[in-house]
Amino acid sequence: MAMNIQKMKEDFQEFFDKYKNCDFEGPTDEKDYVADADEILARYEGMAVSNEEKQALSEQCVHLGCKIMMYTDNINGPKYYHRAIALQPDECSVRWSYYTTLEEIVENEEYATPELIQDAVSCLTFIIEHCETPELQEEYCVRNRYTDLGRVYMAAGDYAKAKECAQKSLEIGYTESAYQLLDRVLAKGV
């Protein structure tokens, strides 16, 4: 049975409207959000077969993951991004969305976990490797993605890889952020 994309979007909009003003301060807010999100996903996940259906559902998964990761410490946030990636494994934009959510988290010692750092590395590595055309390299500012990847490696304490990334970024073109990253790495004695 084909998925009715419009109906799916309406159902998700109803879900998002329900939680529009949710500040996740109530005793069951996170639990209720995750339970309702999982219920709506269960309704549609097996039905997404065509590329258009997978893209539409993937977009909803990205929204779910973003909201829960930005407003809570709930461990369920990444699973929605992982579902989005599973639906569109070759799509850079899904990984870019996930990385932009992870960006501040992985550089914060209080919230960073090895799993989140690895997810950030995976997202950035995928983007860098899949931007083969000049158009994609420009769209995703590949030299800046090398700098981002270097910052993630710095947060992980892998200074040698951070240095490689900063140098690769500078090989592509000068950016102040890559130069600053290289300075930080060199200050570590690498």
Side-chain angles (χ1 to χ4, degrees):
M1 181 167 93
M3 182 171 81
N4 181 333
I5 294 174
Q6 186 57 40
K7 171 75 171 123
M8 185 262 315
K9 287 181 178 181
E10 291 168 4
D11 288 349
F12 270 98
Q13 188 57 54
E14 185 178 312
F15 168 85
F16 290 122
D17 287 345
K18 176 180 178 180
Y19 289 98
K20 179 172 58 175
N21 295 319
C22 180
D23 58 7
F24 293 105
E25 297 294 327
T28 64
D29 287 352
E30 288 180 39
K31 183 172 95 26
D32 293 344
Y33 183 93
V34 169
D36 287 352
D38 288 346
E39 185 276 322
I40 195 170
L41 276 173
R43 257 189 276 159
Y44 290 103
E45 219 161 14
M47 297 170 66
V49 177
S50 74
N51 288 338
E52 182 182 13
E53 293 165 344
K54 289 178 181 181
Q55 179 184 358
L57 187 57
S58 176
E59 289 171 4
Q60 303 307 320
C61 290
V62 165
H63 294 305
L64 291 169
C66 182
K67 177 144 184 171
I68 202 156
M69 287 183 73
M70 296 307 292
Y71 293 102
T72 77
D73 295 331
N74 192 298
I75 60 170
N76 286 291
K79 81 177 183 182
Y80 299 115
Y81 280 107
H82 293 168
R83 284 174 158 171
I85 290 167
L87 287 162
Q88 293 190 283
D90 298 325
E91 181 56 49
C92 284
S93 65
V94 174
R95 285 179 172 80
W96 177 245
S97 294
Y98 187 23
Y99 171 71
T100 59
T101 301
L102 289 169
E103 187 172 16
E104 291 180 23
I105 295 170
V106 298
E107 293 186 40
N108 183 324
E109 290 179 11
E110 183 180 347
Y111 297 108
T113 65
E115 295 81 13
L116 294 177
I117 287 172
Q118 183 53 52
D119 281 358
V121 168
S122 295
C123 288
L124 290 167
T125 301
F126 180 91
I127 291 167
I128 290 167
E129 290 174 356
H130 284 79
C131 289
E132 296 173 348
T133 66
E135 295 80 21
L136 281 174
Q137 289 174 359
E138 186 174 323
E139 179 181 348
Y140 286 98
C141 300
V142 170
R143 75 171 178 233
N144 294 341
R145 300 305 67 89
Y146 274 109
T147 304
D148 292 338
L149 185 57
R151 287 187 4 247
V152 173
Y153 282 130
M154 281 291 290
D158 191 337
Y159 306 124
K161 285 189 179 178
K163 181 180 178 182
E164 287 176 30
C165 291
Q167 289 171 330
K168 184 65 174 171
S169 178
L170 290 168
E171 285 172 20
I172 296 170
Y174 178 84
T175 65
E176 187 65 27
S177 58
Y179 184 75
Q180 290 171 352
L181 174 63
L182 187 57
D183 277 349
R184 286 179 47 213
V185 172
L186 294 174
K188 296 287 185 182
V190 176

